[in-house]
C-alpha cells in the first residue's frame, strides 16, 4: 500500500464510527498526478447525489506534462464506487443519525488501484477537541521521558 495523502484534520474534527474502502472514478491525468502525490484532502467531504456517493472538495493538481488543452477541474466532484447494499446502509445512517462521511486517506492498494478510505463520522464538540489535544500532549511527553530515561542508563 502506497499512501498518497491523509486527512489529519478529519481525525481531529470528527469522531470516527466506521471505516470503509472504496474505489474512485478518475481521469488518466489525475492518476498520474496522484502517483506524484499531488493531492489534498483537507476540506473534502462526501455526499449522496441521486442515490450515488460523490466526493467534493478533493484537490488533485494539474500535471504540467499532460496535454494543455485537456485540463480537468482540480476540485470537481468525483464519483465513488461502492456496492449498492453499502450505499443504502450508509444513506440510512446519515439520514437518521445526523452523521457525515469524510475521506480519511487516499492510496494505491496492492493491485495498484487508487482507493479512498471513507469514515462515517460524528462531529466533535469543542470540549472533545480540547481533550484530544491534552491526550496528544501527554503522549508526546511520555514518549520523550521514556527516550530520556533510556539515555540516562
Amino acid at each position: 500500500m502506497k499512501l498518497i495523502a491523509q486527512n489529519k484534520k478529519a481525525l481531529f474534527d470528527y469522531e470516527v464510527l466506521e471505516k470503509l474502502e472504496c474505489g474512485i472514478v478518475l481521469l488518466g491525468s489525475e492518476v498520474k498526478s496522484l502517483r506524484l502525490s499531488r493531492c489534498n484532502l483537507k476540506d473534502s467531504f462526501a455526499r449522496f447525489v441521486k442515490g450515488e456517493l460523490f466526493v467534493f472538495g478533493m484537490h488533485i493538481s494539474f500535471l504540467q506534462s499532460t496535454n494543455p488543452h485537456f485540463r480537468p477541474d482540480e476540485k470537481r466532484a468525483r464519483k465513488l464506487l461502492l456496492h449498492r447494499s453499502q450505499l443504502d446502509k450508509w444513506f440510512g445512517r446519515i439520514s437518521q443519525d445526523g452523521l457525515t462521511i469524510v475521506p480519511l486517506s487516499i492510496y494505491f492498494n496492492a493491485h495498484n488501484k487508487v482507493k479512498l478510505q471513507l469514515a462515517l463520522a460524528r462531529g466533535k464538540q469543542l470540549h472533545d477537541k480540547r481533550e484530544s489535544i491534552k491526550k496528544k500532549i501527554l503522549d508526546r511527553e511520555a514518549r520523550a521521558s521514556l527516550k530520556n530515561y533510556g539515555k540516562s542508563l
Side-chain angles (χ1 to χ4, degrees):
M1 183 175 103
K2 181 187 178 243
L3 186 66
I4 298 168
Q6 273 188 315
N7 191 355
K8 293 180 181 178
K9 187 177 181 204
L11 294 174
F12 179 71
D13 289 339
Y14 297 98
E15 173 189 352
V16 176
L17 303 176
E18 189 178 335
K19 292 182 183 179
L20 179 70
E21 177 184 77
C22 68
I24 183 168
V25 177
L26 296 171
L27 302 172
S29 62
E30 291 175 333
V31 176
K32 288 181 179 182
S33 294
L34 289 175
R35 292 202 186 281
L36 298 174
S37 300
R38 300 179 122 193
C39 180
N40 187 359
L41 296 173
K42 188 175 181 183
D43 296 324
S44 59
F45 61 95
R47 181 171 288 161
F48 282 95
V49 177
K50 296 182 181 176
E52 295 178 341
L53 193 60
F54 287 85
V55 65
F56 295 92
M58 182 171 74
H59 185 273
I60 299 176
S61 297
F62 176 70
L63 196 60
Q64 296 298 326
S65 62
T66 58
N67 188 349
H69 299 291
F70 175 71
R71 187 175 182 143
D73 185 19
E74 295 174 336
K75 285 193 144 188
R76 70 180 179 87
R78 294 170 178 90
K79 184 178 177 181
L80 300 177
L81 305 172
L82 287 165
H83 292 284
R84 173 58 51 196
S85 60
Q86 193 64 45
L87 285 172
D88 293 340
K89 178 183 169 188
W90 276 29
F91 183 73
R93 293 205 50 197
I94 287 173
S95 59
Q96 290 178 354
D97 301 336
L99 303 175
T100 187
I101 300 175
V102 292
L104 295 180
S105 63
I106 187 167
Y107 55 91
F108 286 101
N109 69 356
H111 300 290
N112 220 11
K113 304 280 187 197
V114 177
K115 298 293 180 179
L116 185 69
Q117 185 179 34
L118 295 176
L120 191 62
R122 177 180 293 121
K124 285 185 183 177
Q125 300 293 327
L126 183 61
H127 64 280
D128 293 331
K129 291 180 185 180
R130 288 181 185 152
E131 287 177 19
S132 297
I133 291 171
K134 286 178 189 177
K135 183 180 177 192
K136 190 191 315 185
I137 291 171
L138 290 174
D139 288 343
R140 187 181 311 134
E141 289 174 355
R143 276 191 310 239
S145 65
L146 286 175
K147 187 176 178 182
N148 292 336
Y149 179 73
K151 288 181 181 179
S152 65
L153 292 178

